[in-house]
């Protein structure tokens, strides 16, 4: 996986405020975007986003 692309997904999520909307804007499925964000978090060993069922905020 390309870490720069994963970071780009993360930045788009922050800009838009939604994983699914960010994924759509990048031509990805929500599931792929979520998996890549989780992979990025595991790689750097830091939680980047605080997720709830209703909102996302940076950690």
């Amino acid at each position: 996986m390309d870490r720069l692309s994963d970071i780009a997904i993360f930045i788009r999520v922050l800009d838009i405020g939604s994983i699914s909307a960010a994924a759509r804007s990048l031509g990805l499925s929500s599931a792929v975007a979520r998996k890549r964000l989780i992979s990025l978090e595991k790689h750097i060993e830091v939680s980047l986003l605080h997720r709830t069922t209703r909102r996302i905020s940076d950690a």
Side-chain angles (χ1 to χ4, degrees):
M1 267 188 273
D2 179 15
R3 294 291 170 213
L4 289 177
S5 295
D6 295 347
I7 293 168
I9 293 170
F10 171 65
I11 291 169
R12 185 65 61 99
V13 169
L14 291 180
D15 287 342
I16 295 176
S18 163
I19 294 174
S20 58
R24 279 192 304 273
S25 75
L26 294 168
L28 302 171
S29 71
S30 295
V32 168
R34 280 182 176 80
K35 287 178 184 176
R36 291 182 60 184
L37 287 171
I38 290 168
S39 173
L40 178 61
E41 289 177 330
K42 286 181 181 178
H43 179 74
I44 62 173
E45 298 179 357
V46 173
S47 178
L48 298 171
L49 300 170
H50 177 70
R51 300 166 186 84
T52 68
T53 56
R54 301 235 180 234
R55 81 188 329 183
I56 293 176
S57 60
D58 42 343

